[in-house]
């Protein structure tokens, strides 16, 4: 982590629980998701799908609720100005970390956003023109979504964060489980699915 960015967004106090691993995993998943979605869109054009494609398909496409993802309305319902200030500060610092400037300009060559863009272009190689890569692949919104996913789903094992799709399955209850729990002899409990 010597060459990893420091300063705004990665406060030594670990505000909002973010660590360098969250950022690195988020950037990696952005690259893999871009490859996966472009492959799905251009199947048969010689591209290769992401190994992580099936896992990416089950991840939420929405922003996981964290204090720094709240809307104005959600902050109003929360009714705590200190938590609101901390959430807004966290999001602002995350934007500075990713976009590189307080104004949100993405013209800097040394921003995390420019690194993600370069990683995507390298991963895709000549299978797609850089101009055909949607800006959503390296947008702050996509980055924020993955950081939120990682901060809510990653497991820490021996001090290192891991995404563990198999372990995540423990959190899910299939619809079929509900059907097996019902008494098949009781017509009142049956439902048409």
């Amino acid at each position: 982590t010597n060459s990893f960015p420091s300063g705004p967004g990665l406060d030594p106090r670990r505000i909002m629980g973010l660590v360098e691993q969250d950022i690195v995993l988020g950037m990696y998943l952005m690259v893999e998701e871009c490859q996966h979605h472009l492959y799905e869109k251009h199947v048969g054009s010689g591209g290769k799908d992401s190994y992580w494609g099936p896992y990416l398909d089950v991840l939420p496409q929405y922003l996981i609720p964290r204090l720094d993802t709240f809307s104005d309305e959600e902050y109003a319902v929360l009714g705590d100005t200190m938590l609101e200030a901390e959430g807004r500060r966290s999001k602002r610092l995350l934007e500075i970390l990713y976009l590189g400037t307080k104004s949100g300009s993405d013209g800097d060559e040394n921003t995390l956003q420019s690194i993600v863009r370069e990683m995507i272009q390298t991963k895709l190689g000549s299978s797609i023109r850089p101009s055909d890569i949607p800006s959503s692949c390296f947008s702050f919104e996509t980055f924020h979504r993955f950081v939120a996913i990682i901060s809510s789903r990653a497991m820490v094992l021996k001090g290192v964060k891991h995404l563990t799709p198999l372990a995540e399955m423990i959190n899910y209850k299939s619809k079929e489980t509900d059907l097996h729990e019902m008494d098949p002899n009781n017509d009142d409990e049956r439902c048409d699915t």
Side-chain angles (χ1 to χ4, degrees):
T1 60
N2 290 342
S3 62
F4 197 84
S6 60
L10 289 174
D11 193 310
R13 296 179 296 146
R14 302 279 194 257
I15 303 260
M16 298 296 294
L18 290 181
V19 295
E20 290 87 351
Q21 294 171 32
D22 296 327
I23 306 304
V24 172
L25 283 170
M27 292 169 63
Y28 176 78
L29 287 178
M30 290 174 74
V31 172
E32 293 299 317
E33 181 181 63
C34 187
Q35 179 185 11
H36 179 57
H37 288 304
L38 287 173
Y39 174 79
E40 287 180 334
K41 188 176 181 180
H42 302 285
V43 174
S45 63
K48 181 180 172 192
D49 195 5
S50 168
Y51 175 78
W52 286 85
Y55 180 59
L56 292 165
D57 286 340
V58 299
L59 289 177
Q61 294 301 308
Y62 55 87
L63 199 54
I64 299 283
R66 284 175 29 111
L67 196 53
D68 63 4
T69 66
F70 282 16
S71 66
D72 291 338
E73 296 81 24
E74 290 165 323
Y75 283 128
V77 170
L78 182 63
D80 187 318
T81 56
M82 286 181 44
L83 287 177
E84 178 181 351
E86 193 58 46
R88 291 184 188 278
R89 177 181 171 274
S90 175
K91 183 176 181 182
R92 187 176 57 256
L93 292 176
L94 196 58
E95 286 174 331
I96 292 169
L97 177 70
Y98 186 69
L99 299 172
T101 66
K102 291 184 180 185
S103 65
S105 167
D106 62 354
D108 188 359
E109 292 292 322
N110 296 316
T111 65
L112 291 181
Q113 184 181 46
S114 66
I115 293 168
V116 168
R117 184 182 292 127
E118 185 177 322
M119 289 169 61
I120 290 169
Q121 290 171 348
T122 300
K123 176 94 177 183
L124 297 175
S126 60
S127 66
I128 191 163
R129 294 187 317 254
S131 60
D132 290 338
I133 299 171
S135 62
S136 62
C137 283
F138 45 84
S139 70
F140 173 75
E141 291 75 19
T142 301
F143 175 71
H144 196 202
R145 179 173 64 90
F146 277 117
V147 167
I149 287 171
I150 290 159
S151 69
S152 73
R153 292 178 178 243
M155 296 179 154
V156 179
L157 305 169
K158 296 184 179 182
V160 178
K161 282 197 173 187
H162 299 272
L163 289 172
T164 52
L166 189 57
E168 271 192 61
M169 291 173 58
I170 296 168
N171 290 326
Y172 295 98
K173 181 177 180 183
S174 72
K175 292 179 183 178
E176 289 185 35
T177 303
D178 294 336
L179 296 175
H180 293 295
E181 291 174 358
M182 295 189 316
D183 182 358
N185 298 319
N186 186 345
D187 288 333
D188 294 335
E189 287 185 349
R190 291 187 190 178
C191 62
D192 297 325
T193 55

